[in-house]
Amino acid sequence: MQEVLNIFKALSDETRLRILKLLENGELCVCDIVAALDTIQPKVSFHLSALKEAGLIKDRKQGKWVHYRMEDSDIFRRFVLLSALERISAEAVKEDSERLADFLKGKNVKSNVVSLCNRAVCCAGKDREVQNG
């Protein structure tokens, strides 16, 4: 029962839903999420931690960078998550998606976030492809 409560608690926050919507298209580094949400890294890390505790996302460390992706191994969890994400309108996360696309292109013009990483050596090096939704 506690596991189900943790899932719904994690899904009850708008910022966490926005993060999940971004992760719908694939793995992202913390710096990508910070830029997309145009917020500060500690706030994003707090929300990522809550999502991870609920078992909704997984992380992978690469050097000093951490990459996050949606956890899709549990059928119930995946169903609940997809059901919630389908109800989020594209308009609600349009600005997040635009900021992320600009950041990944190296423009970072719509974000108040100072460059958090060296794009040449960070998670978004030349060999990385990101799908934008």
Side-chain angles (χ1 to χ4, degrees), residues 14-32:
E14 179 183 353
T15 301
R16 292 183 200 136
L17 290 173
R18 289 168 64 195
I19 290 170
L20 289 170
K21 194 70 175 167
L22 291 169
L23 293 175
E24 220 176 15
N25 294 314
E27 185 177 83
L28 292 172
C29 177
V30 173
C31 59
D32 299 330

Side-chain angles (χ1 to χ4, degrees), residues 3 12-13 15 23 34 39 52 56 64 70 72 74 84 87 100 107 114 122 126:
E3 181 181 3
S12 70
D13 183 90
T15 301
L23 293 175
V34 167
T39 191
K52 185 178 172 189
L56 296 172
K64 59 184 176 177
M70 290 185 26
D72 59 1
D74 180 77
R87 287 166 177 75
L100 177 61
K107 294 178 184 176
V114 176
C122 181
K126 293 178 185 176

